[in-house]
């Protein structure tokens, strides 16, 4: 009875559940696959693949009528720590109706029973990107048995000409083949036999011209051909066959070192072409390689950014009626009135023409009828006058982003903020920085628009802080009015006016009053820069409170007072803290230890006192530490030797005593070159990467050359040297240090500048200084150093500033190589030094025993030495700050927001792959 009931229930279940669920045999196979993925000792699918109905399992799909599994999508499921995976091909072959198999990102090194591929007679799509299929030469041999395959993806497997299967031509039904990010070089076997191929992706290999064999023209169905990031430019005739691919709709040839000769004249044949990418090549002549494109009447997207085009945009561009996107940034286009060309291109959505040398004037009225425009970027055309008021016009478009920084705006119309912007209700990003704007910030900018990023820095805008009547300007994330003439106080209700600020930069204005306490209520604030104003009073305690998101805080050059940090301060996210040139008093509070990520700390030019805290090295990441121009006393704590990332240590102009710790050479960043990596706002850094993919621009200001200000006595020199991320400096000058210079300091091979001047140091110049191979500036003047200048120091070929004046040195001055470039002032007031450039000659008699009276004469020279221009005080103050905001201005504010969305749109279907491609792209780009 019980058994019968069970039987009936089973039948019901079979008809309503089991039989429409999944086949037991396939369920068993899936579980075997799962075990194999997890072997040995992983468990990634355990929580998902439970229950009887495997058709409902995560990443499994069945055919509803047969209940058989048709797709298994197991991308990135095998954990790396488990080592390479060798899946048993028979397990997959046993699924009779399997059409799609995704196994990307699984560390597959080959197959067990690869001959079973021949049994997979329904498979249409196979994704194997980001595996380790190059580890064995055979891992792909049997793949050619998959004769039903339509889509094959083998991206990023480090495949080379030997490990790529020779038999790919057998896959005669293949429609999409992707081999990007491998290490392929020469011609690809069987390529021309793929008669059904529609999409071929060979991006980011090492292919030279031979990879595009003449027979490629057989592929009459080819619609998309991607060859970006190769070396096609090495054969100027590489692309001649391309013109016969008349079905092509997308052609991607970026980053190939192609020059004008590499672009075939017959490109006009590709009459269906919609997208053409040639960014990052070496194209120069608009006439030879651009005019041909005018014949491409279906072209919607032309990208020739980052080439070397010189001259004007061909007039025939005005006939490309289908054009939606035109990317010509980063060239040297010049010429007259480019806007008239665009006048009739009513499909244009995007004009990206930044970083050129347009030098005439353009009037926005010519864009008036381009109703689909959403993005205009004309920034960094420093001689381009952009006229927006005259003649009168009414826009038919609604922009999302407008970038006009570093142009000359509205010069004839009074240089005011362009009024047409008030009609742009969809505007999200507006960058008008450094564009000679005058006048006040109109109230509609904050009240009538919904911009999220508003950048007006580096103009001559006047008036009080812009009034906002709108209570809750919640769209504004980024507000930069730095380097203008804004005066008055910051609004006391800034938190209700702009509740979602992330970046707030009002530096270099004429702000007065105190920092409003309400600024601490900006929960999302990550960067605050109020430097170079006339703010006074204490820092609001709440600003540094628990749960603050601040990563970058700069209040330098104001009149702030009181303690540096309140006793409640707890800035766990802080990376950069710049409070120099204020009136802060007291000691350095240990609350600063709550910022473990701190990399740059500048407290110089305040009235701080007490010992230099020996616990500072607990800030493991500290790379730049400025405590100069304060009243610190006591010794240099030997604990400082633990700061392995320290690049710049400036303790000058204090009352520090004791000797120089001999353990300083333990600091590795002074021994070998290591770059500082400061990524405040990591998301923006991420977006910058996205941005780089689209436009091929990856310029990181922290790694570009930064101007360092070297202040010598009475005169400021700018030093265009290393990027700040590589700069290394020790400055202990103007203290009361005693004892010998530790000879271990000679191990600081990566040190660029050492200043020990104006102390009471004695003993000799260590001979080991001959090993300071990176040293550019060495100042030991005004001490009590004795002995000779070690002659081996002539090897220091980078040394360009050297000062040992006012010591007790003796003997002959080395007189070769670098040392020939130093003049008398480097050596004066050393009674026993002799030889050129000093007047005193080193005769046998007086070289070791110089006359005393001569010495006294030199002594008298002392006061004039102080005025000599080569008396170095070296400090870095403004440089990295400029550099940092440069970074923000360039990337955060440039097209990235817009680019991000367009990139995401384009790539939503292959996000995993793209993430990898970004990495790869960056790698490629950076390594070149
Ligand atoms: C591979 O799977 C098949 C089918 O389950 C099985 O018969 C065979 O023993 C497996 N091979 C290995 C080497 O595990
Ligand atoms: C597998 O490939 C990844 C990425 O290319 C690589 O980092 C890893 O070392 C490879 N593993 C083996 C065992 O070759
Ligand atoms: C734009 O179109 C108008 C009317 O068709 C024509 O008169 C004018 O010359 C065109 N302008 C350009 C720059 O092609
Ligand atoms: C801004 O909005 C106010 C109120 O909605 C309106 O009266 C004013 O004309 C607008 N200003 C501009 C310049 O559009
Ligand atoms: C600082 O803030 C963090 C998290 O915001 C918290 O976990 C920690 O306890 C705080 N420390 C102090 C000393 O208040
Ligand atoms: C900061 O947070 C910690 C723990 O979260 C708490 O104990 C402490 O009281 C908070 N301090 C302030 C000033 O809110």
């Amino acid at each position: 009875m019980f058994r019968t009931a069970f039987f009936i229930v089973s039948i019901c279940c079979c008809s309503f559940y089991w039989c429409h669920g999944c086949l037991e045999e396939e369920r068993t196979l899936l579980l075997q696959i799962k075990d194999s993925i997890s072997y040995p000792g992983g468990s990634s699918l355990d929580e998902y693949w439970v229950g009887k109905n495997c058709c409902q399992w995560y990443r499994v799909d069945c055919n509803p009528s047969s209940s058989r599994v048709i797709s298994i999508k197991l991308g990135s499921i095998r954990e790396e720590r488990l080592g390479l995976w060798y899946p048993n091909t028979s397990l997959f072959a046993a699924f009779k109706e399997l059409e799609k198999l995704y196994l990307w990102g699984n560390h597959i090194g080959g197959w067990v029973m690869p001959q079973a591929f021949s049994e997979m007679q329904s498979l249409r799509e196979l994704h194997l990107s980001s595996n380790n299929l190059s580890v064995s030469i055979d891992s792909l041999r049997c793949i050619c048995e998959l004769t039903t395959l339509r889509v094959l993806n083998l991206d990023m497997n480090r495949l080379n000409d030997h490990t790529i299967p020779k038999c790919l031509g057998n896959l005669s039904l293949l429609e999409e083949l992707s081999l990007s990010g491998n290490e392929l070089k020469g011609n690809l076997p069987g390529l021309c036999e793929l008669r059904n191929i529609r999409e071929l992706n060979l991006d980011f290999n090492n292919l030279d011209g031979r990879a595009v064999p003449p027979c490629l023209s057989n592929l009459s169905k080819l619609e998309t051909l991607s060859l970006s990031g190769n070396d096609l430019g090495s054969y100027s005739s590489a692309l001649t066959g391309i013109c016969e691919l008349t079905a092509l709709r997308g052609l991607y040839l970026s980053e190939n070192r192609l020059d004008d000769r590499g672009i075939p004249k017959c490109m006009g044949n590709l009459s269906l072409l919609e997208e053409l990418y040639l960014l990052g090549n070496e194209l120069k002549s608009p006439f030879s390689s651009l005019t041909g494109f005018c014949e491409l009447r279906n072209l919607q997207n032309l990208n020739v950014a980052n080439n070397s085009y010189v001259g004007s945009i061909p007039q025939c561009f005005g006939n490309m009626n289908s054009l939606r996107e035109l990317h010509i940034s980063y060239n040297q286009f010049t010429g007259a009135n480019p806007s008239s060309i665009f006048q009739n291109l009513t499909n244009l959505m995007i004009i990206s023409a930044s970083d050129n040398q347009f030098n005439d004037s353009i009037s926005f009225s010519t864009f008036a009828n381009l109703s689909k425009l959403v993005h205009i970027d004309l920034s960094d055309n420093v001689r381009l006058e952009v006229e927006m008021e005259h003649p009168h016009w009414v826009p038919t478009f609604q922009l999302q982003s407008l970038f006009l920084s570093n142009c000359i705006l509205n010069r004839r119309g009074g240089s005011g903020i362009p009024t047409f912007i008030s009609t742009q209700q969809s505007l999200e990003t507006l960058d008008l920085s450094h564009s000679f704007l005058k006048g006040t910030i109109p109230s509609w900018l904050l009240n009538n628009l919904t911009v999220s990023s508003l950048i007006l820095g580096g103009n001559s805008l006047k008036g009080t802080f812009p009034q906002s009547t709108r209570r809750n300007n919640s769209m504004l994330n980024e507000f930069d009015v730095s380097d203008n003439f804004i005066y008055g106080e910051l609004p006391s209700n800034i938190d209700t006016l702009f509740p979602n600020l992330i970046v707030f930069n009002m530096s270099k204005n004429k702000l007065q009053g105190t920092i409003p306490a309400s600024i601490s209520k900006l929960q999302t604030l990550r960067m605050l820069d109020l430097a170079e104003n006339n703010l006074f009073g204490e820092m609001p305690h709440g600003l540094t409170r628990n749960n603050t998101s601040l990563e970058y805080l700069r209040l330098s050059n104001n009149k702030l007072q009181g303690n540096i940090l309140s006793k409640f301060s707890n800035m766990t996210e802080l990376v950069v803290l710049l409070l120099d040139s204020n009136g802060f008093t007291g000691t350095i509070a240990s609350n600063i230890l709550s910022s473990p990520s701190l990399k740059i700390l500048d407290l110089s030019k305040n009235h701080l006192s007490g010992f230099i805290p020996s616990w500072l090295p607990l800030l493991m990441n500290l790379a730049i530490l400025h405590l100069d121009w304060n009243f610190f006393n006591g010794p240099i704590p030997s604990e400082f030797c633990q700061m392995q990332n320290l690049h710049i240590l400036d303790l000058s102009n204090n009352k520090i005593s004791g000797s120089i710790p001999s353990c300083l050479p333990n600091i590795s960043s002074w021994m070998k070159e290591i770059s500082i990596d400061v990524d405040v706002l990591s998301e923006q850094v991420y977006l910058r990467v996205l941005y780089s993919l689209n436009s091929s621009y990856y310029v990181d200001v922290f790694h570009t050359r930064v101007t360092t200000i070297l202040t010598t006595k009475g005169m400021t020199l700018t030093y265009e040297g290393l990027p700040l991320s590589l700069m290394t400096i020790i400055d202990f000058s103007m203290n009361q240090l005693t004892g010998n210079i530790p000879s271990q300091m000679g191990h600081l091979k990566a040190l660029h500048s050492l200043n020990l001047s104006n102390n009471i140091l004695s003993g000799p110049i260590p001979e080991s200084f001959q090993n300071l191979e990176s040293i550019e500036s060495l100042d030991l003047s005004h001490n009590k150093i004795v002995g000779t200048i070690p002659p081996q120091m002539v090897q220091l070929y980078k040394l360009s500033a050297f000062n040992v004046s006012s010591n007790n040195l003796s003997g002959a001055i080395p007189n070769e190589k670098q040392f020939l470039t130093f003049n008398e002032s480097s050596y004066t007031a050393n009674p026993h030094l002799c030889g050129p450039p000093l007047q005193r000659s080193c005769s046998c008699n007086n070289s070791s025993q110089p006359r005393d009276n001569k010495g006294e004469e030199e002594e008298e020279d002392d006061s004039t030495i102080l005025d000599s221009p080569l008396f170095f005080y070296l400090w870095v103050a403004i440089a990295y700050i400029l550099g940092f905001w440069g970074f923000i201005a360039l990337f955060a504010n440039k097209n990235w927001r817009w680019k991000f969305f367009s990139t995401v749109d384009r790539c939503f279907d292959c996000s995993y792959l793209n993430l990898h491609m970004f990495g790869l792209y960056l790698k490629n780009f950076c390594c070149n």
Side-chain angles (χ1 to χ4, degrees):
M1 159 87 179
F2 184 76
R3 195 186 289 175
T4 322
F6 181 72
F7 183 69
I8 293 169
V9 168
S10 306
I11 289 181
C12 294
C13 289
C14 180
S15 48
F16 293 111
Y17 188 66
W18 298 137
C19 304
H20 294 280
C22 86
L23 303 182
E24 186 56 31
E25 64 198 70
E26 298 204 333
R27 181 173 173 275
T28 311
L29 283 169
L30 285 170
L31 290 175
Q32 281 175 278
I33 291 170
K34 187 193 79 172
D35 290 343
S36 140
I37 291 170
S38 320
Y39 180 83
S43 63
S44 44
L45 283 169
D46 281 357
E47 52 184 309
Y48 301 111
W49 282 12
V50 288
K52 280 279 173 205
N53 186 357
C54 66
C55 290
Q56 290 180 345
W57 286 357
Y58 180 54
R59 302 176 180 223
V60 176
D61 287 315
C62 295
N63 175 346
S65 53
S66 69
S67 298
R68 284 186 173 274
V69 171
I70 52 169
S71 117
I72 301 176
K73 297 184 177 175
L74 294 176
S76 194
I77 203 109
R78 166 112 173 153
E79 295 167 56
E80 184 169 12
R81 65 180 174 91
L82 301 177
L84 292 181
W85 182 31
Y86 292 86
N88 182 343
T89 314
S90 318
L91 292 178
F92 295 99
F95 293 95
K96 295 276 175 301
E97 294 184 21
L98 189 64
E99 290 176 10
K100 295 182 184 178
L101 180 56
Y102 292 11
L103 292 173
W104 44 262
N106 279 322
H107 312 281
I108 296 176
W111 313 90
V112 172
M113 304 187 71
Q115 63 277 21
F117 275 124
S118 62
E119 294 157 27
M120 302 178 80
Q121 288 310 322
S122 53
L123 199 66
R124 298 170 69 94
E125 289 188 23
L126 180 58
H127 290 258
L128 293 171
S129 60
S130 303
N131 278 299
N132 293 59
L133 293 171
S134 60
V135 281
S136 118
I137 199 128
D138 274 348
S139 60
L140 285 167
R141 192 166 38 92
C142 294
I143 227 161
C144 305
E145 306 285 326
L146 294 168
T147 48
T148 54
L149 215 54
R150 305 295 201 280
V151 178
L152 176 60
N153 188 324
L154 296 170
D155 293 344
M156 291 191 279
N157 269 292
R158 299 195 180 190
L159 295 172
N160 57 34
D161 290 357
H162 302 291
T163 48
I164 181 94
K166 303 276 178 290
C167 54
L168 279 179
N170 294 359
L171 302 175
S172 58
L173 297 180
L174 208 59
E175 294 173 4
E176 290 179 34
L177 174 61
S178 192
L179 287 163
S180 69
N182 282 297
E183 293 163 8
L184 303 170
K185 272 206 179 83
N187 57 355
L188 302 170
L191 205 58
C192 301
E193 287 149 48
L194 299 172
R195 297 300 172 100
N196 283 300
I197 197 96
R198 285 190 293 105
E199 221 179 296
L200 180 58
N201 185 349
L202 298 167
D203 286 344
F204 301 106
N205 278 284
N206 305 321
L207 299 171
D208 59 30
R210 285 168 296 174
V212 194
C215 66
L216 206 70
S217 52
N218 295 354
L219 307 182
S220 58
K221 296 185 180 166
L222 198 62
E223 291 176 8
T224 306
L225 177 58
S226 297
L227 286 160
S228 295
N230 282 293
D231 193 20
L232 300 181
S234 58
Y235 278 70
S236 63
S237 58
L239 294 171
T240 39
I242 246 169
C243 304
E244 286 161 52
L245 297 171
T246 49
L248 269 191
R249 288 172 188 275
L251 179 57
Y252 306 91
L253 299 169
S254 303
E255 302 282 347
N256 263 301
R257 299 201 298 134
L258 287 166
D259 59 19
D260 295 324
R261 289 170 305 151
I263 305 296
K265 295 272 174 285
C266 53
M267 288 274 275
N269 292 0
L270 303 176
S271 59
L272 298 180
L273 203 64
E274 291 169 2
E275 294 208 334
L276 177 57
Y277 277 63
L278 281 161
L279 64 149
N281 282 298
E282 294 165 6
L283 305 174
K284 277 204 182 73
S285 156
F287 178 73
S288 57
S289 56
L290 268 186
T291 37
F293 303 155
C294 297
E295 293 160 40
L296 300 170
R297 289 308 165 86
N298 282 304
L299 201 63
Q300 296 178 5
N301 185 349
L302 176 61
N303 194 327
V304 293
N306 191 20
N307 278 284
S308 308
Y309 281 120
V310 179
S312 43
I313 304 177
Q315 283 296 328
C316 65
F317 266 45
N319 304 331
M320 298 173 78
N321 295 324
S322 307
L323 212 56
R324 295 176 186 201
E325 298 190 19
L326 179 62
H327 299 267
I328 55 172
S329 300
Y330 297 92
N331 279 290
Q332 282 136 49
F333 282 114
T334 50
N337 213 351
S339 60
S340 68
I341 292 172
F342 304 131
Q343 208 162 11
N344 289 352
L345 301 182
T346 50
N347 285 309
L348 263 187
M349 299 169 69
I350 291 164
I351 299 174
S352 179
S354 64
D355 292 86
N356 278 290
Q357 296 179 4
F358 293 118
N359 51 3
D360 203 334
S361 73
I362 74 168
S363 167
F364 259 49
S365 61
T366 50
F367 297 147
N369 293 329
L370 309 184
S371 62
K372 294 181 182 162
L373 272 180
V374 291
H375 171 85
I376 300 178
D377 185 356
L378 299 175
S379 49
D380 299 302
N381 283 289
V382 291
R383 283 177 296 159
L384 178 67
E385 288 188 22
V386 185
E387 215 46 68
M388 280 123 135
E389 308 300 335
H390 305 293
H392 182 72
W393 65 293
V394 179
T396 56
F397 51 76
Q398 287 290 335
L399 295 179
Q400 287 168 16
S401 44
L402 177 60
F403 297 94
L404 295 169
S405 66
N406 283 304
C407 303
I408 305 167
L409 293 191
N410 277 342
R411 200 173 63 108
R412 275 174 281 171
S415 300
I417 289 184
T419 50
F420 90 89
I421 293 173
S422 71
T423 63
Q424 301 297 299
Q425 298 297 328
S426 310
L427 200 61
E428 286 170 18
T429 307
L430 177 61
D431 184 354
L432 304 177
S433 56
H434 303 279
S435 53
F436 302 94
L437 292 173
K438 292 185 205 150
T440 56
I441 298 175
S443 64
W444 51 257
L445 203 51
L446 291 167
N447 294 327
N448 296 38
L449 301 184
T450 53
V451 262
S452 66
S453 207
L454 181 55
I455 299 113
L456 302 170
N459 285 296
S460 302
L461 298 167
K462 290 198 182 65
T464 54
F465 189 84
Q467 294 301 304
S468 167
T469 49
R470 188 189 304 182
R471 252 302 154 91
N472 188 334
N473 211 321
S474 58
M475 298 299 168
L476 201 63
N477 293 147
E478 182 175 16
F479 192 29
D480 180 350
V481 197
S482 59
D483 197 4
N484 277 288
F485 300 105
I486 307 296
Y487 52 80
E489 299 193 10
L490 288 171
S492 60
N493 60 341
I494 194 151
D495 58 321
T496 51
L497 294 177
F498 311 117
N500 293 316
L501 276 184
I502 296 173
V503 175
F504 185 38
N505 186 356
M506 287 296 299
S507 62
K508 224 171 166 198
N509 277 288
K510 310 223 167 296
L511 294 175
Q512 287 149 336
T514 56
I515 301 174
S518 58
I519 214 163
S520 342
K521 295 194 194 139
L522 295 171
Q523 297 289 339
T524 51
L525 196 63
R526 288 162 73 183
M527 311 192 67
L528 175 62
D529 193 344
L530 300 174
E532 299 185 63
N533 280 290
N534 295 314
L535 299 166
F536 61 84
E538 297 197 3
M539 212 197 302
H541 292 323
L543 191 60
T544 60
R545 74 197 182 282
N546 265 359
N547 303 324
T548 172
S549 313
L550 275 181
E551 291 170 34
Y552 180 101
L553 175 59
R554 178 172 176 242
L555 303 172
S556 316
N557 266 297
N558 279 291
K559 302 189 172 95
L560 300 171
Q561 294 162 340
N563 287 328
I564 288 248
L565 296 174
S566 83
K567 67 171 181 252
F568 299 115
S569 110
N570 184 10
M571 294 188 273
T572 47
E573 310 294 321
L574 200 66
V575 181
V576 179
L577 179 61
L578 308 171
L579 302 174
D580 53 291
S581 303
N582 277 290
F584 290 115
T585 48
T587 56
I588 304 179
S590 61
N591 309 49
I592 208 161
L593 292 180
S594 63
S595 310
S597 311
L598 197 65
K599 287 192 176 160
I600 304 183
L601 176 61
D602 191 344
L603 304 176
S604 61
K605 302 205 178 73
N606 279 293
H607 307 300
L608 300 171
S609 54
F611 280 20
I612 292 188
S614 60
W615 42 255
L616 264 182
L618 293 174
L619 295 168
M620 298 289 290
N621 294 304
L622 207 57
I624 300 181
L625 176 60
H626 281 274
L627 299 176
D628 44 302
W629 296 86
N630 278 293
F631 300 102
F632 291 114
N633 55 36
I636 300 172
S638 60
E639 286 84 353
F640 268 44
C641 304
Q642 296 158 17
M643 295 210 255
Q644 289 303 313
N645 292 307
L646 207 54
H647 280 61
I648 299 181
L649 175 59
D650 191 345
L651 304 176
S652 62
N653 275 280
N654 279 291
K655 298 184 156 90
I656 296 167
S657 53
S659 55
I660 299 174
S662 61
C663 59
L664 279 182
N666 291 352
I667 294 182
S668 46
S669 44
W670 288 337
M671 293 172 73
K672 63 172 195 282
E673 199 166 81
I674 302 170
S675 172
I676 313 175
D677 174 21
V678 181
D679 56 343
V680 182
L681 291 191
S682 42
E683 266 168 49
Q684 297 193 358
V685 172
Y686 173 62
L687 288 170
R688 190 180 67 210
V689 175
L690 289 178
Y691 173 61
S692 74
L693 183 81
N694 237 355
S695 74
S696 106
Y697 274 90
Y698 181 74
V699 188
D700 182 343
V701 167
F702 254 96
H703 299 106
T704 58
R705 297 190 177 274
V706 179
T707 307
T708 306
I709 314 286
L710 294 181
T711 310
T712 65
K713 192 134 174 84
M715 147 175 164
T716 302
L717 299 173
T718 47
Y719 163 85
E720 302 234 10
L722 280 174
L724 186 72
S725 59
L726 290 174
M727 193 63 191
T728 46
I729 300 173
I730 295 177
D731 191 345
F732 294 160
S733 64
M734 298 279 228
N735 278 296
Q736 293 153 16
L737 293 169
T738 50
N740 289 2
I741 302 174
S743 67
Q744 291 89 334
M745 287 190 91
H747 301 172
L748 300 176
K749 291 191 171 161
L751 192 66
H752 290 272
S753 170
L754 176 61
N755 190 345
L756 301 175
S757 68
N758 284 277
N759 279 289
I760 322 168
L761 295 168
S762 49
I765 301 176
E767 263 185 35
S768 61
F769 270 28
Q770 64 180 293
N771 299 322
L772 294 172
E773 53 192 50
S774 305
I775 202 89
E776 292 167 54
S777 167
L778 178 60
D779 190 347
L780 304 174
S781 66
H782 293 266
N783 277 292
K784 300 197 178 316
I785 298 170
V786 297
T788 57
I789 300 173
Q792 301 90 331
M793 283 178 71
V794 297
Q795 297 166 16
L796 301 176
Y797 70 100
K798 290 188 178 164
L799 194 61
S800 57
F802 180 64
N803 193 348
V804 291
S805 63
S806 295
N807 277 295
N808 266 325
L809 292 167
S810 54
I813 294 170
N815 198 16
E816 28 168 353
K817 298 182 182 164
Q818 260 342 70
F819 276 69
L820 292 173
T821 62
F822 308 134
N823 63 22
E824 201 173 343
S825 58
S826 299
Y827 306 106
T828 47
N830 282 286
H832 308 289
L833 270 185
C834 63
L838 293 179
Q839 302 299 327
R840 190 184 319 112
S841 66
C842 298
S843 71
C844 301
N845 292 335
N846 65 10
S847 66
S848 50
Q849 299 274 305
R851 295 193 308 272
D852 278 359
N853 58 349
K854 189 80 176 177
E856 273 156 28
E857 273 170 39
E858 296 284 355
E859 216 68 77
E860 279 161 26
D861 283 348
D862 215 34
S863 59
T864 54
I865 293 152
L866 277 172
D867 295 325
S868 88
L870 266 174
F871 181 63
F872 269 77
Y873 271 63
L874 190 144
W875 56 279
V876 180
I878 298 161
Y880 57 81
I881 296 151
L882 289 177
F884 189 81
W885 282 110
F887 153 70
I888 291 299
L890 265 168
F891 303 105
N893 305 340
K894 235 174 158 347
N895 323 31
W896 60 258
R897 242 175 261 265
W898 173 83
K899 302 265 190 197
F900 173 66
F901 292 113
S902 68
T903 308
V904 167
D905 275 353
R906 196 167 301 157
C907 301
F908 74 98
D909 209 22
C910 47
S911 48
Y912 170 82
L913 175 64
N914 276 309
L915 276 178
H916 274 251
M917 291 307 294
F918 294 148
L920 185 82
Y921 188 91
L922 263 188
K923 198 178 111 233
N924 272 328
F925 194 79
C926 298
C927 296
N928 290 334

